[in-house]
């Protein structure tokens, strides 16, 4: 029986785990994606995915490469086995880079170079340990915004659900925010990232980021991409690549993405390890089910 065309969702950093590659090593397209990623970055991704230690896999200079290469490898393997072109695709945070590669807007090497450039420029601008992100679950948005008004160095960086958010900015202010909400939130804490992603602190880095990647020539996407900033459909290669570059400073609004997913009406499938986007999508719309392409064929 023919497989129905899906809308694909590519997860972001935080989905990496020891054992995530189990069963995929026998598939040529997956191995080729990991070979290219390891050669481009110098990171021993397959060994860390298989053996750990988890702390090394989750390192800032490793985790995004692993998530990107694994997601692209899964997509290419599934396509070789008959998965039809998706109706559309998107990604959460750096998962949008996986969508760019899957849609053939840019090669895998360009997306890996984008991650490297973000890391290089962020380290130069912020150093290590001064900036970061925090997560809050079970907090009303109006309450969060009221507290943020008194912490002007922080920015609401992700609306992942009606009561699930991330905030970016200086670590000291993030700790103050977390301490305020910990007594009432379902969960609250700091994320294992060292940069204030998806917020205005990253905006001054965008010109240098564009210069670093000036040699990339984007192609027309093989299928539409969905902006994780406002949920619009992106059908042109240059616009899609611009979105990828700007995404480090643009907030993520998964509620807008879910509205688009509902409007498209296609089955949904998560293309990567874990169930990050299945969970976020159900938080936003309890009637939407997200299948997983992670189990190896």
């Amino acid at each position: 029986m023919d497989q129905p065309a899906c809308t694909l969702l590519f997860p972001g950093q935080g989905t990496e785990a020891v054992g995530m590659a189990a069963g995929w090593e026998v598939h040529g397209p997956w191995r080729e994606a990991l070979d290219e990623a390891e050669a481009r970055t110098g990171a021993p991704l397959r060994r860390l995915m298989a053996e750990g230690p988890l702390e090394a896999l989750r390192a800032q200079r490793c985790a995004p490469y692993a998530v990107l290469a694994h997601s692209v490898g899964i997509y290419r393997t599934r396509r070789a086995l008959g998965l039809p072109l998706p109706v559309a695709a998107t990604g959460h945070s750096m998962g949008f880079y996986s969508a760019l590669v899957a849609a053939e807007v840019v090669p895998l090497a360009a997306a890996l170079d984008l991650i490297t450039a973000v890391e290089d420029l962020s380290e130069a601008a912020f150093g290590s340990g001064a900036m970061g992100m925090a997560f809050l679950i079970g907090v009303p948005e109006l309450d969060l915004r009221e507290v943020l008004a008194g912490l002007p160095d922080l920015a609401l960086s992700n609306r992942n659900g009606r009561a699930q958010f991330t905030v970016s900015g200086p670590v000291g202010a993030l700790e103050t925010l977390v301490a305020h909400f910990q007594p009432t939130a379902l969960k609250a804490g700091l994320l294992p990232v060292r940069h204030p992603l998806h917020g205005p602190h990253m905006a001054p880095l965008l010109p240098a980021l564009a210069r670093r990647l000036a040699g990339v020539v984007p192609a027309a996407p093989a299928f539409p991409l969905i902006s994780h900033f406002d949920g619009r459909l992106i059908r042109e290669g240059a616009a899609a690549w611009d979105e990828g570059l700007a995404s480090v400073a643009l907030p993520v609004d998964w509620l807008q993405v879910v509205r688009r997913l509902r409007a498209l009406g296609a089955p949904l499938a998560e293309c990567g390890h874990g169930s990050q986007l299945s969970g976020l999508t159900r938080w936003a719309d309890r009637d939407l089910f997200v299948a997983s392409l992670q189990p190896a064929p």
Side-chain angles (χ1 to χ4, degrees):
M1 182 181 296
D2 291 339
Q3 300 179 59
C6 296
T7 297
L8 294 185
L9 312 179
F10 290 90
Q13 188 172 343
T15 56
E16 63 281 349
V18 176
M20 64 191 290
W24 288 100
E25 305 94 328
V26 299
H27 295 284
W30 186 91
R31 292 197 307 271
E32 290 167 7
L34 269 293
D35 285 344
E36 182 174 359
E38 290 187 331
R40 195 78 176 183
T41 66
L45 300 177
R46 282 175 293 189
R47 177 175 61 79
L48 293 175
M49 291 163 131
E51 304 171 10
L54 182 59
E55 294 76 13
L57 178 59
R58 285 181 172 169
Q60 190 71 31
R61 287 279 183 170
C62 184
Y65 299 140
V67 171
L68 171 64
H70 182 58
S71 295
V72 169
I74 288 177
Y75 173 75
R76 290 176 176 173
T77 300
R78 292 287 186 184
R79 282 284 293 150
L81 295 174
L83 181 75
L85 279 176
V87 172
T90 191
H92 186 273
S93 188
M94 58 123 320
F96 190 76
Y97 304 165
S98 303
L100 286 170
V101 177
E104 300 178 9
V105 174
V106 295
L108 177 58
L112 293 164
D113 290 349
L114 174 53
I115 291 172
T116 300
V118 170
E119 293 301 318
D120 289 346
L121 293 170
S122 296
E123 286 183 5
F126 309 120
S128 178
M131 291 285 197
M133 301 178 74
F135 70 92
L136 302 119
I137 301 174
V139 172
E141 183 172 349
L142 288 178
D143 291 356
L144 174 58
R145 289 187 180 275
E146 182 178 347
V147 173
L148 288 176
L151 295 168
D153 290 336
L154 299 183
L156 180 58
S157 49
N158 292 52
R159 293 177 74 232
N160 291 326
R162 293 185 179 89
Q164 187 167 344
F165 309 97
T166 70
V167 175
S168 63
V171 170
L174 291 172
E175 290 173 341
T176 298
L177 179 73
V178 168
H180 176 87
F181 280 110
Q182 272 182 334
T184 56
L186 292 177
K187 291 183 180 180
L190 298 181
L191 290 168
V193 295
R194 297 178 301 182
H195 311 318
L197 298 170
H198 305 302
H201 303 88
M202 299 293 291
L205 279 58
L206 295 180
L209 188 64
R211 289 193 295 271
R212 280 275 295 261
L213 281 301
V216 176
V217 180
F223 42 82
L225 298 174
I226 303 169
S227 167
H228 65 190
F229 167 62
D230 59 10
R232 75 189 184 281
L233 290 176
I234 305 172
R235 303 180 185 274
E236 298 180 353
W241 181 236
D242 287 347
E243 183 89 1
L245 293 173
S247 67
V248 296
L250 292 174
V252 175
D253 194 334
W254 200 251
L255 295 175
Q256 294 286 3
V257 172
V258 168
R259 292 188 184 99
R260 177 62 66 183
L261 299 179
R262 170 65 76 179
L264 290 173
L268 305 175
E270 187 162 357
C271 190
H273 183 259
S275 57
Q276 180 191 70
L277 301 185
S278 174
L280 292 186
T281 302
R282 290 293 300 278
W283 267 80
D285 189 328
R286 301 298 294 179
D287 294 329
L288 290 180
F289 170 75
V290 181
S292 176
L293 299 184
Q294 165 64 27

